[in-house]
Amino acid sequence: MHHFVDAAPGIRLWVEERGAADAPPLLLIMGAQASGMGWPDELVDALAVHHRVIRYDHRDTGRSTWPFDRQPYAITDLAHDAVAVLDGLGVDRAHIVGLSLGGMLAQLLIADHPDRLLSATLMGTCALSTAPYTAPDGTRIPPTELPGIAPHVLEMWSRPVEDHGLEAELDRRVEHWRALSGGQLPFDADYFRGLERRIIEHTGHYATTTAHGRADDSGLLRTDELARTDVPTLVVSAPAEPVFPPPHPQHLAQAIRGARVVEIPGMGHALPREVLAPLTRAVLDHAAGRRPGTPAL
């Protein structure tokens, strides 16, 4: 079932629900420039066996309003949108799962709206905290000195996107997923091409946007709030991650009070078929209070 939620004046968000209406709600929050359709159907359906799964299109993605060029907004507004989705569906509290920018938005919800959360699962993201990372040998490392984005990903992001037709755009998106996948698992180009074709069909066009990269990113740090939260939090560690590579997940788990870490073998900054089953188990176990993973050191 899908419908629209009015999140703010002039902002309407496309929302989809799967699973039983009386099951515990679980909100999926996608990354930058990514439609909610970026969550693979296989993952959504597997989670929906036990949850009322909610996914939605951010502003400037999918079928939601594309307002940035006439109505600029801040990253924090995207976190407010997630709360608006819950409000629009009459959901008091939900489990949340955030990927990449979605993981940052999830941290804002942990810090600013803990009363709306049952649990949080974060992946492919960095800590919104100035607390240092304590390495296994006891060395304390400032967050600014943790590993950065892989050069080949930065180079790809720096290229201008030109319109050479649908199939060329699909080629570009597939190569983008290849770069983000990290190289530890076999890359299935047909799988990602199918994913992107469905996203384009859902959106109704293949135009791209840099809105989220241009949005005001001030005021994101939540060092103290994350350090004292009571929201049960799981951090997914992806060993092939090229955007926020280890030890970013370990730092994130240290920055969030009580957080635990689970590693998904071979995972990068993407959701190929090989990671869906272990990721589903990790999310379901965490939401059920079975506490997968290990505590942060």
Side-chain angles (χ1 to χ4, degrees):
M1 178 174 63
H2 62 85
H3 35 245
F4 290 88
V5 166
D6 291 320
I11 306 296
R12 177 164 285 189
L13 305 178
W14 177 89
V15 180
E16 182 196 62
E17 300 178 74
R18 295 193 188 185
D22 59 351
L26 189 153
L27 178 68
L28 299 173
I29 309 175
M30 244 298 154
Q33 270 78 243
S35 157
M37 295 295 288
W39 295 103
D41 286 341
E42 299 97 315
L43 175 66
V44 176
D45 288 339
L47 294 173
V49 173
H50 300 279
H51 290 274
R52 175 189 178 187
V53 179
I54 303 160
R55 61 177 171 177
Y56 68 101
D57 292 340
H58 292 300
R59 307 179 189 198
D60 286 288
T61 75
R63 297 181 185 175
S64 292
T65 308
W66 290 50
F68 188 84
D69 289 334
R70 66 180 184 279
Q71 188 178 345
Y73 48 82
I75 295 298
T76 51
D77 290 321
L78 298 178
H80 297 156
D81 286 351
V83 176
V85 168
L86 297 181
D87 290 343
L89 301 183
V91 175
D92 291 331
R93 301 180 72 198
H95 302 281
I96 61 173
V97 179
L99 171 64
S100 195
L101 174 65
M104 297 180 189
L105 302 181
Q107 290 176 70
L108 294 178
L109 298 187
I110 291 170
D112 300 344
H113 301 279
D115 57 313
R116 305 300 301 272
L117 305 187
L118 296 168
S119 75
T121 300
L122 315 176
M123 64 189 90
T125 194
C126 64
L128 301 182
S129 172
T130 59
Y133 166 61
T134 302
D137 65 1
T139 302
R140 290 168 65 81
I141 304 172
T144 54
E145 296 180 13
L146 294 177
I149 302 170
H152 71 283
V153 173
L154 286 174
E155 190 278 330
M156 180 168 282
W157 287 351
S158 72
R159 300 177 197 168
V161 177
E162 300 175 346
D163 184 355
H164 296 290
L166 172 60
E167 294 305 318
E169 175 60 17
L170 285 168
D171 290 342
R172 186 192 68 82
R173 296 188 187 192
V174 168
E175 290 311 301
H176 184 227
W177 283 121
R178 187 188 303 275
L180 293 179
S181 292
Q184 289 191 15
L185 295 172
F187 183 74
D188 186 342
D190 290 340
Y191 167 84
F192 283 102
R193 195 177 192 87
L195 175 68
E196 286 296 339
R197 195 179 292 278
R198 288 190 294 275
I199 290 171
I200 290 169
E201 290 172 353
H202 164 77
T203 304
H205 59 79
Y206 60 85
T208 60
T209 176
T210 58
H212 297 166
R214 291 181 286 142
D216 179 2
D217 63 357
S218 63
L220 296 183
L221 289 177
R222 295 293 190 276
T223 304
D224 294 339
E225 294 88 344
L226 295 175
R228 63 172 179 256
T229 187
D230 290 323
V231 175
T233 302
L234 180 69
V235 178
V236 173
S237 179
E241 170 68 61
V243 179
F244 296 112
H248 277 283
Q250 291 71 26
H251 174 236
L252 181 56
Q254 290 177 3
I256 300 175
R257 179 175 180 262
R260 301 173 72 85
V261 180
V262 64
E263 181 173 301
I264 305 296
M267 186 173 176
H269 201 78
L271 298 172
R273 282 198 179 96
E274 292 86 350
V275 309
L276 299 184
L279 182 59
T280 298
R281 286 194 299 271
V283 171
L284 291 178
D285 283 349
H286 179 57
R290 292 192 285 268
R291 296 178 65 79
T294 58
L297 299 175

